[in-house]
Amino acid sequence: HAPTIIKHEGLYKMIYGPCPFRLAVSENLYTWTPKGPVGISEKSGRDPGLFLWKDTFILAYCAGNAVKAATSKNLADWTEPVEIYRGEVASYQCESPTIVHRDGVFYLFWCLWDTANKNGNGYDERSFVVSSNSPLDFRGRPVIAELATHAPEIFQDEKQNWFISSVQYPT
């Protein structure tokens, strides 16, 4: 489900799942070398999003209607996961969490799987954004934006321009 890739120390590093999450590395994004499971003690997490803040990796992922995160200095040894956000509606499930840091503020993007939605299959074309001063605590924060996307990815190019991508809403 929804692998996450970052470039770090000259290598592309991908974490994929569902749990147990696994790590693979590549020099060129075409040929990958599996490195095995990462040491996160989660049984039902999926949709990992890897974020590097200063010298710490933060792996955010969905777990039911919550977003959890664990941290690591080396992608091998991880802290115990903590809940960093929870959806406010019981029928909501959080999907595809992504953390972005901009101008001193952290933003958590997540999309919605809503078992109470009108089409009955859970897929929803809405994503939400919350902000915080900490990449590990968005709990109780109000939604500051709603986007017409599913599974948004937010990224920068080589010139530091920001972009957002989205998967097609399933029909």
Side-chain angles (χ1 to χ4, degrees), residues 45-103:
R46 60 186 174 81
D47 297 351
L50 190 59
F51 174 70
L52 182 61
W53 173 243
K54 298 188 178 179
D55 62 345
T56 301
F57 294 98
I58 300 171
L59 185 65
Y61 58 92
C62 57
N65 71 342
V67 176
K68 290 186 176 182
T71 63
S72 175
K73 298 286 187 181
N74 59 13
L75 295 175
D77 303 305
W78 292 86
T79 61
E80 192 66 27
V82 296
E83 185 176 292
I84 64 171
Y85 183 78
R86 177 172 291 278
E88 296 177 8
V89 177
S91 65
Y92 284 8
Q93 300 290 304
C94 297
E95 287 196 325
S96 304
T98 299
I99 299 173
V100 172
H101 182 255
R102 182 164 187 224
D103 298 332

Side-chain angles (χ1 to χ4, degrees), residues 123-164:
Y123 279 102
D124 203 295
E125 67 275 8
R126 294 177 289 164
S127 294
F128 301 94
V129 185
V130 294
S131 66
S132 176
N133 293 325
S134 167
L136 294 173
D137 187 7
F138 296 89
R139 293 171 300 195
R141 305 296 297 199
V143 170
I144 60 171
E146 181 177 321
L147 309 171
T149 65
H150 188 79
E153 296 289 340
I154 294 76
F155 54 95
Q156 286 183 289
D157 67 8
E158 297 82 7
K159 296 179 182 178
Q160 303 305 305
N161 296 308
W162 287 96
F163 296 89
I164 184 170

